[in-house]
Amino acid sequence: MVTESKSVVVWSRRCLRRLAGKSLCCHLQRDSNQPLPRKELRTRMAARLYCVVVALLLLAEVYSFGEETSDPGIVARITRKGLKYARHHGLANLKKELSKIRLHDFLGKFRISWIGWVHYEFHSLKIQHFTLGNSDLSLNPQKGLGISLSNSYISVHGIWKVKKAFIPVAGTFNLSLDSISTSFSLNFSKDNSGRPTVSMTHCNNSVGNINIDLSKTLRPNDQTPESKTTESLSVSQAGHREGQRTEPAEGRVTITKGIQTHFHEIVEKKLIKILDQKICGVVRTAVTSRLQPYLRTLPVSTMIDYVASIDYRLVGVPKVSFRGLDTPFKGEFFSRKRHTPAPTEVPAIEMPQKKSRMVYFAVSDYVFNTASWVYQQARQMHFNIETTQIPLNAPIHLNTNSFQTLVPQLGKLYPNMKMELDVAPESTPFLIFNPGNASLMAVMVVQAYALRPKTSDHIPLFQLRAKTTLYPTFNVISGRIVGFVNTGSPLKLELKQSNVDSFDVRPMETILNYYAQHTIYPSLNEKLEEGLPLPLPKAAYLRHVVVRIHENFLYIGANLG
């Protein structure tokens, strides 16, 4: 695909040069006093349009080349199953916040025929019950995540009061709103630091049914309706009570009927609007104060050790597809002393269509190979094998007397001297992922030295080239990718250079294989056991982990717990 894109760019540039040479795109000016013939004018206009199209194609291809350098080393996919799990926990927290909604008092006036304007007030509003109904999740490519709630229920208790001239009427009410539907969308992006961001793009509410239980009572002496409910009702029924001043029952009844008539309209226009603002406000606050800070716990870079760190910046915005939410991470190791890009290419990752787990990670071999390059540059792959590291039961020890059975000249030239082996990679070893297995071909240079007694002098003896292929295995423990290298293919030796004459290296292969198993491999596995942390937000735990090896990447599936 890259080759094809390059050919398009080359063709476009040649086309532009050719057109410029024919004076079609450039130097099209003539004397403004001389009108162009219609045929020539059409030709030149077509040429201009053609040049614009070609230039746009060229810019598009150049832009695509810029994008090529930003391919991710790691792709994390949250499947629909994982998003539903996150939605479940998010809605549990959302319900707690919604149950704390405080409704403000509101007042106004309305007109009743032949009575005139009546002033009303609703206060002490309190949500008694809030039940979230069914929830659904929709994946909308290019738009984001859609979340809808249906059949929610709210009950509100409060006090109402109206006044017309000298006639005060008050009471309590219970309002229930059912079949409430709420829908909102979440859109994902990234900021300049490479962290993901989330925002709510829209929020809508609708109410299916409104039920009102309105109790009415007279409020003499401006007492609360709760304290006078029974007495007021008795006044309403008897119309008179000794020692108590009452207003005409006709006025109360007329105003009360007016309240009942206009209450629905008042609720629909004001109370529902307030609830709509409150619910969407709570959702927006939950997104900005809870979800967004949680996403910011995703690491931008993580220190591995004193040598290296890993770059976890996003190289693109998280994308919603019908399969889930994909987040692309750079996934590049870099030296803590000097951040130099590794000379390795990022292979394309084609995520398998798996959906049995909540989350999947595709970790490219690019990640491991940048680590190999960084540690090789820092000389962390150099091994010194000394006498003290050799077990007592080893078949041969690191001294010239012991090695003279393999290299006869050693005992004569450097009798009874200790030896040391310096092992280093000839080039950076690269990991290769093939379906079902991983392999790493290592070419090492083994330099043998004799140590002069009572000095620190190292006398170069001979140099060997050792080749082997290792087959590492991988697992995920506590959110970290750990590896293990068992014995690979046997070391194959060849004599690269010698200061003690030529000798047959085949008998030495057994000895160096023994050293590799007891010295080099344990040291390598100790490093691999430290593990590579996956880019996970705070307090995210993986369980039921499965690890598979695909072409060019390690594929990890897990559930969240």
Side-chain angles (χ1 to χ4, degrees), residues 71-366:
D71 286 340
I74 300 175
V75 177
R77 170 174 293 173
I78 304 178
T79 63
R80 185 182 294 270
K81 182 178 179 180
L83 291 171
K84 288 182 178 180
Y85 173 83
R87 179 197 61 187
H88 173 74
H89 287 271
L91 292 180
N93 292 325
L94 184 62
K95 182 180 179 180
K96 294 179 182 178
E97 298 298 326
L98 289 172
S99 63
K100 300 176 184 178
I101 288 178
R102 298 184 62 183
L103 301 177
H104 298 293
D105 302 344
F106 61 93
L107 50 85
K109 62 181 180 178
F110 60 89
R111 184 179 180 83
I112 300 177
S113 60
W114 73 269
I115 290 182
W117 290 99
V118 177
H119 294 268
Y120 67 86
E121 178 184 347
F122 296 92
H123 63 90
S124 302
L125 304 178
K126 183 179 180 181
I127 294 179
Q128 291 184 314
H129 300 286
F130 193 107
T131 304
L132 286 179
N134 302 323
S135 61
D136 192 21
L137 175 75
S138 58
L139 303 176
N140 305 313
Q142 310 303 325
K143 294 182 180 180
L145 295 179
I147 299 175
S148 60
L149 309 173
S150 59
N151 296 323
S152 297
Y153 171 82
I154 298 178
S155 66
V156 180
H157 177 78
I159 299 173
W160 61 269
K161 175 183 176 181
V162 298
K163 187 176 182 180
K164 173 62 180 178
F166 56 86
I167 306 177
V169 182
T172 61
F173 70 90
N174 290 309
L175 170 70
S176 63
L177 308 175
D178 56 19
S179 299
I180 301 174
S181 296
T182 303
S183 64
F184 57 93
S185 294
L186 300 178
N187 186 40
F188 295 89
S189 186
K190 72 180 184 75
D191 60 19
N192 293 332
S193 67
R195 285 187 170 93
T197 61
V198 61
S199 60
M200 188 178 74
T201 54
H202 87 277
C203 179
N204 294 317
N205 290 283
S206 64
V207 178
N209 299 310
I210 304 175
N211 297 309
I212 303 168
D213 180 12
L214 185 67
S215 66
K216 51 186 183 295
T217 177
L218 187 64
R219 245 181 113 184
N221 301 325
D222 200 29
Q223 297 183 34
T224 62
E226 289 81 1
S227 63
K228 286 294 184 179
T229 300
T230 304
E231 182 178 355
S232 298
L233 287 175
S234 64
V235 170
S236 176
Q237 294 169 1
H240 173 72
R241 186 172 183 176
E242 185 178 355
Q244 179 177 320
R245 181 181 177 182
T246 62
E247 302 299 336
E250 293 82 0
R252 293 196 311 274
V253 173
T254 301
I255 293 177
T256 302
K257 288 183 178 180
I259 283 286
Q260 291 173 332
T261 302
H262 292 81
F263 200 83
H264 279 276
E265 181 180 355
I266 294 170
V267 169
E268 289 180 3
K269 288 185 176 180
K270 294 198 172 181
L271 187 56
I272 294 180
K273 183 179 180 180
I274 291 173
L275 284 173
D276 183 80
Q277 293 173 346
K278 290 289 184 177
I279 292 174
C280 289
V282 168
V283 175
R284 183 176 289 105
T285 300
V287 171
T288 56
S289 65
R290 290 184 178 272
L291 181 56
Q292 176 64 22
Y294 182 69
L295 290 180
R296 291 189 66 82
T297 63
L298 275 169
V300 172
S301 65
T302 299
M303 185 182 74
I304 303 300
D305 52 27
Y306 69 95
V307 174
S309 294
I310 185 168
D311 189 343
Y312 278 137
R313 289 176 299 167
L314 267 62
V315 296
V317 299
K319 292 184 178 180
V320 175
S321 68
F322 294 114
R323 293 177 292 274
L325 176 65
D326 289 355
T327 304
F329 298 89
K330 189 172 183 63
E332 179 182 279
F333 274 77
F334 62 91
S335 171
R336 297 189 63 203
K337 292 183 178 180
R338 185 176 58 183
H339 193 165
T340 304
T344 58
E345 295 183 358
V346 187
I349 295 177
E350 292 292 337
M351 295 280 282
Q353 307 304 315
K354 301 288 186 180
K355 56 183 181 180
S356 61
R357 296 295 196 274
M358 295 180 183
V359 62
Y360 288 94
F361 292 91
V363 184
S364 169
D365 55 17
Y366 169 81

Side-chain angles (χ1 to χ4, degrees), residues 377-443:
Q377 291 293 307
R379 296 182 60 84
Q380 294 298 304
M381 294 184 180
H382 288 61
F383 300 93
N384 290 100
I385 305 177
E386 301 175 351
T387 303
T388 55
Q389 298 173 273
I390 304 303
L392 295 176
N393 59 350
I396 191 170
H397 293 273
L398 276 178
N399 57 68
T400 54
N401 290 346
S402 183
F403 258 77
Q404 71 179 351
T405 58
L406 303 175
V407 186
Q409 294 294 324
L410 280 180
K412 298 178 181 179
L413 297 175
Y414 309 103
N416 199 27
M417 295 175 64
K418 293 182 179 180
M419 291 179 60
E420 184 177 294
L421 300 180
D422 185 9
V423 183
E426 188 175 65
S427 59
T428 303
F430 287 138
L431 185 67
I432 298 174
F433 284 134
N434 289 312
N437 68 82
S439 61
L440 184 134
M441 181 176 292
V443 180

